[in-house]
Amino acid sequence: MSDRTTAPGPGRPKDPAKREAILGAAQVLFLANGYEGSSMEAIAAEAGVSKLTLYSHFRDKEALFCDAVKSTCETRLPRSLFLLEPGRTMEQVLLAIGTAFQALVNSPESIGLHRVMVAMATQNPALSRLFFDAGPQRLLGDLEALFAEADRRGLLVAPAPLSAAEHFCSLVKGGAHFRLLIGYSDEPTADEAERHVREVVSLFLRAYGPGAAGKPD
């Protein structure tokens, strides 16, 4: 039976397992071979699907790349982390987000992807923008919404929530992330990572907490 007769047609539900296999294969090959070195044919073969099936899920390589980045972020930083639920303090929310974010950005997969994007920056700046919008910008947007809501509730003093989001991310990444990017050091141990996140959250709350010295009149 040909690919054309077995692949999902218009209106027919697509197989989520095949979509996950394609995303997983894309992540492996983009990291191993870079963006330009990873063809749709190779990704289809790695995923164990036909090209027709691959294109039924993703219209082109850029769309696949963006969805692979989004999938990684959604798995490692689920939207539930950014909810101000009853019984959770602001410190607990920030610790959970900081821990998950640090684990993501310092992971071998993320470091490899950042290196790919730095290498592509001058060759394909449009792809770099797609990457930023699919990954880092999504996180900043979620944090901005969280900090704006926390400001409204009086849990934080964050009249410029996007700036607060950028400050928080920069603090969590710290110097360790850059050292990892250039291969200067190994990933922090679990104890080192936990201690760093706790220090960051403490510092952030001193700057943005309700009793912060810089609280506007």
Side-chain angles (χ1 to χ4, degrees):
M1 188 175 292
S2 70
D3 287 332
R4 186 170 297 279
T5 59
T6 58
R12 294 177 60 188
K14 297 179 176 63
D15 185 346
K18 289 184 178 179
R19 177 184 174 84
E20 290 304 311
I22 293 168
L23 287 171
Q27 291 166 347
V28 168
L29 293 185
F30 284 141
L31 289 178
N33 305 324
Y35 181 82
E36 295 296 344
S38 303
S39 68
M40 293 292 268
E41 291 84 353
I43 293 170
E46 178 74 15
V49 301
S50 68
K51 282 180 59 179
L52 183 61
T53 298
L54 187 154
Y55 280 108
S56 75
H57 286 272
F58 303 98
R59 67 180 182 275
D60 54 32
K61 190 162 70 169
E62 285 188 352
L64 175 54
F65 178 78
C66 288
D67 274 26
V69 173
K70 288 178 183 177
S71 176
T72 299
C73 290
E74 288 167 0
T75 300
R76 304 292 289 271
L77 286 164
R79 293 290 170 89
S80 59
L81 288 177
F82 301 86
L83 299 178
L84 292 173
E85 297 176 327
R88 294 181 73 203
T89 65
M90 196 71 234
E91 180 182 25
Q92 290 172 326
V93 172
L94 292 173
L95 285 171
I97 295 171
T99 299
F101 177 55
Q102 182 182 239
L104 171 60
V105 297
N106 288 347
S107 68
E109 297 81 8
S110 179
I111 293 297
L113 183 56
H114 276 76
R115 288 170 177 162
V116 168
M117 297 317 304
V118 169
M120 291 294 298
T122 56
Q123 304 172 39
N124 191 343
L127 182 66
S128 297
R129 288 191 291 271
L130 287 172
F131 163 73
F132 188 84
D133 290 342
Q137 186 60 57
R138 171 191 175 276
L139 168 63
L140 288 173
D142 286 343
L143 278 174
E144 180 183 15
L146 169 66
F147 292 162
E149 178 62 21
D151 181 76
R152 284 192 290 272
R153 297 189 190 186
L155 301 174
L156 292 177
V157 179
L162 179 56
S163 292
E166 292 177 342
H167 293 160
F168 184 75
C169 289
S170 296
L171 286 169
V172 172
K173 290 172 73 173
H177 183 255
F178 182 70
R179 289 192 290 271
L180 283 170
L181 278 176
I182 63 173
Y184 183 83
S185 65
D186 296 325
E187 188 174 351
T189 66
D191 287 344
E192 290 170 340
E194 180 182 0
R195 183 167 58 251
H196 173 68
V197 171
R198 288 192 176 279
E199 290 174 352
V200 164
V201 170
S202 177
L203 177 60
F204 185 84
L205 288 175
R206 286 202 297 272
Y208 286 97
K215 182 176 180 180
D217 295 332

